Amino acid sequence: MFLDLVIIGKTETLLQLAKTDPSPSGKQLLSLLLQVDEAFNPSNSSSRKKRAPSSEDDEEDSSDEEEEEEEDDEPTRVANVIAKLRKNADALVRKKRYREAAAVLLLLPTAQMLKSALNLLTFQFNAPFLAHLVARCIEYRIYCHGELSGEFDFRFDY
């Protein structure tokens, strides 16, 4: 179900399901989903710190400072999330849980992660039809919503 929800873009539903799962794997999934959500949707995150300015003059200065801090933190935050997702996907591959590993890779909206997930499904899970289905679903999401970013090169690594 993890892969299915990720493919159709229902990460909010997956997040709500992970919140209700008391198992250790449910807690790990919740942590991972919250980090991905925070990295790519910082406006939705509740953990952002907001300072109240002391006067109207300081209001403009503090908002500029906050924007600069967010810009500096965003590339490192995204890079950390990418590294963590890759690490989790590698651990799942070692456990031969290929569908879950592909779903973890598909959490990130980048072409490189999509290519890795499709290669994983095609060659390690030995399910080229599933990989094709995933590619078509993601293609539809790109066409309708423009969700993914990056240059798309769908050639498989042999």
Side-chain angles (χ1 to χ4, degrees), residues 42-59:
S43 60
N44 294 343
S45 116
S46 60
S47 62
R48 289 180 61 196
K49 297 177 183 176
K50 294 184 179 180
R51 286 188 338 196
S54 57
S55 70
E56 291 179 12
D57 294 334
D58 293 338
E59 191 172 308

Side-chain angles (χ1 to χ4, degrees), residues 84-118:
K84 184 170 267 198
L85 286 176
R86 284 203 176 274
K87 184 179 175 183
N88 281 308
D90 290 341
L92 288 167
V93 167
R94 283 192 299 273
K95 294 178 181 179
K96 298 186 182 198
R97 294 169 57 187
Y98 301 119
R99 285 178 58 102
E100 289 87 356
V104 167
L105 290 170
L106 289 172
L107 283 174
L108 276 184
T110 64
Q112 182 182 7
M113 297 298 254
L114 174 61
K115 183 179 176 182
S116 297
L118 294 178

Side-chain angles (χ1 to χ4, degrees), residues 120-131:
L120 179 76
L121 288 171
T122 301
F123 299 112
Q124 293 190 335
F125 193 57
N126 200 20
F129 293 111
L130 179 60

